[in-house]
PDB file of all heavy atoms in Angstrom:
ATOM      1  N   LEU A 147     -28.962 -66.200 -64.098  1.00 95.00           N
ATOM      2  CA  LEU A 147     -28.795 -65.912 -62.614  1.00 95.00           C
ATOM      3  C   LEU A 147     -28.159 -66.966 -61.841  1.00 95.00           C
ATOM      4  O   LEU A 147     -27.733 -66.798 -60.685  1.00 95.00           O
ATOM      5  CB  LEU A 147     -30.159 -65.414 -61.946  1.00 95.00           C
ATOM      6  CG  LEU A 147     -30.794 -64.097 -62.394  1.00 95.00           C
ATOM      7  CD1 LEU A 147     -32.029 -63.888 -61.651  1.00 95.00           C
ATOM      8  CD2 LEU A 147     -29.858 -62.971 -62.388  1.00 95.00           C
ATOM      9  N   THR A 148     -28.094 -68.137 -62.435  1.00 93.00           N
ATOM     10  CA  THR A 148     -27.411 -69.299 -61.777  1.00 93.00           C
ATOM     11  C   THR A 148     -25.890 -69.271 -61.918  1.00 93.00           C
ATOM     12  O   THR A 148     -25.172 -70.198 -61.419  1.00 93.00           O
ATOM     13  CB  THR A 148     -27.985 -70.623 -62.196  1.00 93.00           C
ATOM     14  OG1 THR A 148     -27.651 -70.727 -63.612  1.00 93.00           O
ATOM     15  CG2 THR A 148     -29.386 -70.844 -61.945  1.00 93.00           C
ATOM     16  N   GLU A 149     -25.429 -68.321 -62.668  1.00 93.00           N
ATOM     17  CA  GLU A 149     -23.853 -68.237 -62.916  1.00 93.00           C
ATOM     18  C   GLU A 149     -23.003 -68.019 -61.711  1.00 93.00           C
ATOM     19  O   GLU A 149     -21.939 -68.414 -61.648  1.00 93.00           O
ATOM     20  CB  GLU A 149     -23.617 -67.325 -64.044  1.00 93.00           C
ATOM     21  CG  GLU A 149     -24.043 -67.842 -65.404  1.00 93.00           C
ATOM     22  CD  GLU A 149     -24.113 -66.776 -66.513  1.00 93.00           C
ATOM     23  OE1 GLU A 149     -23.602 -65.580 -66.213  1.00 93.00           O
ATOM     24  OE2 GLU A 149     -24.633 -67.026 -67.504  1.00 93.00           O
ATOM     25  N   LYS A 150     -23.534 -67.234 -60.784  1.00 94.00           N
ATOM     26  CA  LYS A 150     -22.644 -67.010 -59.552  1.00 94.00           C
ATOM     27  C   LYS A 150     -23.507 -66.826 -58.322  1.00 94.00           C
ATOM     28  O   LYS A 150     -24.795 -66.577 -58.424  1.00 94.00           O
ATOM     29  CB  LYS A 150     -21.875 -65.721 -59.750  1.00 94.00           C
ATOM     30  CG  LYS A 150     -22.646 -64.501 -60.063  1.00 94.00           C
ATOM     31  CD  LYS A 150     -21.652 -63.275 -60.229  1.00 94.00           C
ATOM     32  CE  LYS A 150     -22.486 -62.059 -60.446  1.00 94.00           C
ATOM     33  NZ  LYS A 150     -22.721 -60.982 -60.001  1.00 94.00           N
ATOM     34  N   PRO A 151     -22.957 -67.027 -57.098  1.00 97.00           N
ATOM     35  CA  PRO A 151     -23.834 -66.893 -55.873  1.00 97.00           C
ATOM     36  C   PRO A 151     -24.363 -65.567 -55.812  1.00 97.00           C
ATOM     37  O   PRO A 151     -23.817 -64.490 -56.184  1.00 97.00           O
ATOM     38  CB  PRO A 151     -22.729 -67.068 -54.781  1.00 97.00           C
ATOM     39  CG  PRO A 151     -21.636 -67.892 -55.400  1.00 97.00           C
ATOM     40  CD  PRO A 151     -21.603 -67.370 -56.879  1.00 97.00           C
ATOM     41  N   LEU A 152     -25.620 -65.472 -55.307  1.00 97.00           N
ATOM     42  CA  LEU A 152     -26.387 -64.239 -55.215  1.00 97.00           C
ATOM     43  C   LEU A 152     -27.043 -64.044 -53.871  1.00 97.00           C
ATOM     44  O   LEU A 152     -27.528 -64.948 -53.176  1.00 97.00           O
ATOM     45  CB  LEU A 152     -27.524 -64.187 -56.221  1.00 97.00           C
ATOM     46  CG  LEU A 152     -27.065 -64.125 -57.747  1.00 97.00           C
ATOM     47  CD1 LEU A 152     -28.278 -64.450 -58.478  1.00 97.00           C
ATOM     48  CD2 LEU A 152     -26.451 -62.850 -58.117  1.00 97.00           C
ATOM     49  N   THR A 153     -27.018 -62.778 -53.284  1.00 96.00           N
ATOM     50  CA  THR A 153     -27.757 -62.474 -52.133  1.00 96.00           C
ATOM     51  C   THR A 153     -29.212 -62.219 -52.511  1.00 96.00           C
ATOM     52  O   THR A 153     -29.487 -62.006 -53.730  1.00 96.00           O
ATOM     53  CB  THR A 153     -27.219 -61.233 -51.369  1.00 96.00           C
ATOM     54  OG1 THR A 153     -27.351 -60.182 -52.292  1.00 96.00           O
ATOM     55  CG2 THR A 153     -25.691 -61.408 -51.059  1.00 96.00           C
ATOM     56  N   TYR A 154     -30.022 -62.277 -51.579  1.00 95.00           N
ATOM     57  CA  TYR A 154     -31.502 -62.123 -51.922  1.00 95.00           C
ATOM     58  C   TYR A 154     -31.703 -60.640 -52.485  1.00 95.00           C
ATOM     59  O   TYR A 154     -32.575 -60.477 -53.383  1.00 95.00           O
ATOM     60  CB  TYR A 154     -32.397 -62.291 -50.670  1.00 95.00           C
ATOM     61  CG  TYR A 154     -32.326 -61.289 -49.645  1.00 95.00           C
ATOM     62  CD1 TYR A 154     -33.206 -60.173 -49.607  1.00 95.00           C
ATOM     63  CD2 TYR A 154     -31.354 -61.299 -48.669  1.00 95.00           C
ATOM     64  CE1 TYR A 154     -33.119 -59.183 -48.609  1.00 95.00           C
ATOM     65  CE2 TYR A 154     -31.228 -60.308 -47.671  1.00 95.00           C
ATOM     66  CZ  TYR A 154     -32.133 -59.281 -47.689  1.00 95.00           C
ATOM     67  OH  TYR A 154     -32.025 -58.322 -46.772  1.00 95.00           O
ATOM     68  N   ALA A 155     -30.973 -59.662 -52.057  1.00 95.00           N
ATOM     69  CA  ALA A 155     -31.177 -58.385 -52.535  1.00 95.00           C
ATOM     70  C   ALA A 155     -30.667 -58.277 -54.037  1.00 95.00           C
ATOM     71  O   ALA A 155     -31.251 -57.589 -54.872  1.00 95.00           O
ATOM     72  CB  ALA A 155     -30.315 -57.351 -51.674  1.00 95.00           C
ATOM     73  N   GLU A 156     -29.663 -58.993 -54.402  1.00 96.00           N
ATOM     74  CA  GLU A 156     -29.260 -59.046 -55.798  1.00 96.00           C
ATOM     75  C   GLU A 156     -30.270 -59.753 -56.679  1.00 96.00           C
ATOM     76  O   GLU A 156     -30.614 -59.398 -57.758  1.00 96.00           O
ATOM     77  CB  GLU A 156     -27.827 -59.815 -55.944  1.00 96.00           C
ATOM     78  CG  GLU A 156     -26.721 -58.952 -55.319  1.00 96.00           C
ATOM     79  CD  GLU A 156     -25.429 -59.761 -54.985  1.00 96.00           C
ATOM     80  OE1 GLU A 156     -25.517 -60.965 -54.944  1.00 96.00           O
ATOM     81  OE2 GLU A 156     -24.416 -59.101 -55.006  1.00 96.00           O
ATOM     82  N   ILE A 157     -30.953 -60.802 -56.166  1.00 97.00           N
ATOM     83  CA  ILE A 157     -31.975 -61.509 -56.814  1.00 97.00           C
ATOM     84  C   ILE A 157     -33.123 -60.510 -57.051  1.00 97.00           C
ATOM     85  O   ILE A 157     -33.669 -60.390 -58.135  1.00 97.00           O
ATOM     86  CB  ILE A 157     -32.446 -62.754 -56.143  1.00 97.00           C
ATOM     87  CG1 ILE A 157     -31.353 -63.756 -56.014  1.00 97.00           C
ATOM     88  CG2 ILE A 157     -33.718 -63.393 -56.777  1.00 97.00           C
ATOM     89  CD1 ILE A 157     -31.606 -64.929 -55.109  1.00 97.00           C
ATOM     90  N   TYR A 158     -33.478 -59.813 -56.051  1.00 96.00           N
ATOM     91  CA  TYR A 158     -34.614 -58.919 -56.038  1.00 96.00           C
ATOM     92  C   TYR A 158     -34.345 -57.933 -57.150  1.00 96.00           C
ATOM     93  O   TYR A 158     -35.241 -57.610 -57.977  1.00 96.00           O
ATOM     94  CB  TYR A 158     -34.730 -58.165 -54.694  1.00 96.00           C
ATOM     95  CG  TYR A 158     -36.029 -57.328 -54.537  1.00 96.00           C
ATOM     96  CD1 TYR A 158     -37.233 -57.898 -54.118  1.00 96.00           C
ATOM     97  CD2 TYR A 158     -36.008 -56.005 -54.910  1.00 96.00           C
ATOM     98  CE1 TYR A 158     -38.422 -57.211 -54.048  1.00 96.00           C
ATOM     99  CE2 TYR A 158     -37.198 -55.276 -54.786  1.00 96.00           C
ATOM    100  CZ  TYR A 158     -38.387 -55.809 -54.426  1.00 96.00           C
ATOM    101  OH  TYR A 158     -39.511 -55.124 -54.326  1.00 96.00           O
ATOM    102  N   GLU A 159     -33.142 -57.202 -57.225  1.00 96.00           N
ATOM    103  CA  GLU A 159     -32.888 -56.246 -58.130  1.00 96.00           C
ATOM    104  C   GLU A 159     -32.893 -56.708 -59.573  1.00 96.00           C
ATOM    105  O   GLU A 159     -33.533 -56.109 -60.446  1.00 96.00           O
ATOM    106  CB  GLU A 159     -31.491 -55.528 -57.815  1.00 96.00           C
ATOM    107  CG  GLU A 159     -31.597 -54.462 -56.783  1.00 96.00           C
ATOM    108  CD  GLU A 159     -32.773 -53.407 -56.961  1.00 96.00           C
ATOM    109  OE1 GLU A 159     -32.805 -52.951 -58.175  1.00 96.00           O
ATOM    110  OE2 GLU A 159     -33.480 -53.228 -56.078  1.00 96.00           O
ATOM    111  N   ALA A 160     -32.306 -57.820 -59.790  1.00 96.00           N
ATOM    112  CA  ALA A 160     -32.193 -58.434 -61.076  1.00 96.00           C
ATOM    113  C   ALA A 160     -33.636 -58.813 -61.601  1.00 96.00           C
ATOM    114  O   ALA A 160     -33.945 -58.519 -62.758  1.00 96.00           O
ATOM    115  CB  ALA A 160     -31.374 -59.803 -61.073  1.00 96.00           C
ATOM    116  N   CYS A 161     -34.451 -59.295 -60.676  1.00 97.00           N
ATOM    117  CA  CYS A 161     -35.836 -59.632 -61.113  1.00 97.00           C
ATOM    118  C   CYS A 161     -36.650 -58.415 -61.396  1.00 97.00           C
ATOM    119  O   CYS A 161     -37.533 -58.366 -62.260  1.00 97.00           O
ATOM    120  CB  CYS A 161     -36.479 -60.439 -60.014  1.00 97.00           C
ATOM    121  SG  CYS A 161     -35.730 -62.093 -59.978  1.00 97.00           S
ATOM    122  N   LYS A 162     -36.493 -57.447 -60.540  1.00 96.00           N
ATOM    123  CA  LYS A 162     -37.232 -56.137 -60.786  1.00 96.00           C
ATOM    124  C   LYS A 162     -36.914 -55.541 -62.162  1.00 96.00           C
ATOM    125  O   LYS A 162     -37.904 -55.180 -62.865  1.00 96.00           O
ATOM    126  CB  LYS A 162     -36.789 -55.139 -59.648  1.00 96.00           C
ATOM    127  CG  LYS A 162     -37.614 -53.987 -59.530  1.00 96.00           C
ATOM    128  CD  LYS A 162     -37.209 -53.154 -58.337  1.00 96.00           C
ATOM    129  CE  LYS A 162     -37.938 -51.752 -58.372  1.00 96.00           C
ATOM    130  NZ  LYS A 162     -37.533 -50.993 -57.294  1.00 96.00           N
ATOM    131  N   GLN A 163     -35.666 -55.529 -62.590  1.00 96.00           N
ATOM    132  CA  GLN A 163     -35.363 -55.102 -63.918  1.00 96.00           C
ATOM    133  C   GLN A 163     -36.043 -55.918 -64.957  1.00 96.00           C
ATOM    134  O   GLN A 163     -36.413 -55.360 -65.995  1.00 96.00           O
ATOM    135  CB  GLN A 163     -33.880 -55.123 -64.072  1.00 96.00           C
ATOM    136  CG  GLN A 163     -33.168 -53.985 -63.460  1.00 96.00           C
ATOM    137  CD  GLN A 163     -31.635 -54.227 -63.415  1.00 96.00           C
ATOM    138  OE1 GLN A 163     -31.126 -54.997 -64.205  1.00 96.00           O
ATOM    139  NE2 GLN A 163     -30.943 -53.457 -62.635  1.00 96.00           N
TER     140      GLN A 163
END
Side-chain angles (χ1 to χ4, degrees):
L147 296 182
T148 57
E149 284 166 10
K150 59 179 180 119
L152 293 170
T153 63
Y154 72 92
E156 288 165 339
I157 297 173
Y158 189 89
E159 276 314 309
C161 290
K162 193 173 167 183
Q163 280 169 17

